[in-house]
Amino acid sequence: IHNTKSVKMNYKVELSTFQVIKPLIEKHHYSHSVRGIHCSYAFGLFQEGKFGMDELIGGMIYGVPSSMEGQRTDKYGNQSGKVLELNRLCCIDDTLKNTESYFIGKTLRWLSNHTDYQVVVSYADPEYNHSGVIYKASNFIHYGMSGTDKVLIVDGKKYHRRTLRKDSPYAEEIRQRIDNNDPNIIWKKTCQKHIYIYYLDKKLKRKHAIL
């Protein structure tokens, strides 16, 4: 992804790694967490910093949708398995206007040109006062509302339910604590979320519009 300059922006977007993006997400994203996320692609938003060194000012993570693991994923008219979820997006507070839509647009173009994924799905959570304004500005389609779900609260920290399926010592510890009826582990019902989709495959988008 090449650097682009304009009147409003002097940022560049680059394919990065989960390890590079993780600290910024944990500090600046409203969830302050990457727990339970499957990372397929990570992108960084950079500006020129001190001594000409690039400074990371935004991060984005795409991954396999957790709700579709082990299931058919052709609900959006795509070939099964050709769906990515935009799991995390955040920028530091003092970025320029329209930075997030610029950031999203660059990553979508990269995915369209370098992968065979057909659809990107993302969710806006009303619990955090998000209605999806940034997705609308990035030409996503509102696809309705999700069903309610449940998240795991362990010692006051929120975990995705997929945590229990992991093959790790911590996941095993949680499973054992649940079996022992640990009062510090509870399930919490979540509210419905706005579903937004973006067609990377333009032929599929035209077909969807006709349908």
Side-chain angles (χ1 to χ4, degrees):
I1 301 176
H2 300 291
N3 187 13
T4 61
K5 296 183 179 182
S6 69
V7 174
K8 294 183 178 179
M9 295 185 178
N10 186 13
Y11 299 147
K12 65 179 179 180
V13 178
E14 293 184 348
L15 184 66
S16 188
T17 67
F18 179 76
Q19 290 75 19
V20 170
I21 302 304
K22 178 176 179 285
L24 183 137
I25 297 290
E26 291 177 328
K27 181 176 181 180
H28 294 282
H29 192 266
Y30 64 83
S31 70
H32 302 292
S33 173
V34 292
R35 292 186 295 269
I37 287 180
H38 174 277
C39 177
S40 299
Y41 301 96
F43 295 90
L45 178 71
F46 297 88
Q47 69 178 2
E48 185 174 325
K50 295 180 179 179
F51 310 111
M53 300 291 290
D54 287 341
E55 177 186 1
L56 181 67
I57 59 171
M60 199 177 317
I61 296 174
Y62 290 89
V64 176
S66 59
S67 61
M68 299 179 183
E69 288 183 327
Q71 303 179 33
R72 291 186 61 83
T73 59
D74 53 0
K75 66 181 293 184
Y76 306 113
N78 58 289
Q79 296 175 25
S80 185
K82 301 301 183 182
V83 178
L84 276 178
E85 180 177 343
L86 199 172
N87 286 311
R88 292 289 187 273
L89 162 64
C90 74
C91 300
I92 63 174
D93 290 338
D94 59 349
T95 51
L96 299 173
K97 184 180 179 180
N98 299 324
T99 292
E100 288 183 330
S101 57
Y102 162 82
F103 191 9
I104 291 175
K106 295 288 282 186
T107 64
L108 292 174
R109 282 191 286 276
W110 189 94
L111 291 170
S112 180
N113 292 330
H114 295 86
T115 78
D116 63 351
Y117 284 101
Q118 296 177 310
V119 177
V120 169
V121 59
S122 196
Y123 299 88
D125 193 344
E127 185 176 344
Y128 294 95
N129 297 317
H130 291 173
S131 62
V133 173
I134 186 63
Y135 300 128
K136 294 175 184 176
S138 301
N139 297 317
F140 278 66
I141 300 168
H142 189 261
Y143 202 78
M145 303 297 290
S146 71
T148 57
D149 200 354
K150 292 192 298 184
V151 293
L152 194 63
I153 309 296
V154 181
D155 301 325
K157 293 182 180 181
K158 185 184 296 185
Y159 291 83
H160 195 280
R161 54 194 169 96
R162 78 160 73 178
T163 301
L164 293 177
R165 301 197 295 267
K166 288 190 174 183
D167 183 17
S168 69
Y170 186 63
E172 178 60 29
E173 177 188 336
I174 293 176
R175 288 191 289 266
Q176 290 180 3
R177 290 175 63 183
I178 291 175
D179 290 340
N180 292 327
N181 298 315
D182 189 324
N184 294 311
I185 298 181
I186 61 173
W187 288 99
K188 179 182 177 182
K189 187 176 181 179
T190 62
C191 65
Q192 291 182 307
K193 299 177 183 178
H194 295 275
I195 305 171
Y196 287 90
I197 62 171
Y198 182 92
Y199 284 102
L200 297 170
D201 186 322
K202 301 310 177 188
K203 291 182 179 179
L204 192 62
K205 181 179 180 180
R206 288 194 292 271
K207 181 179 178 181
H208 176 84
I210 293 173
L211 296 175

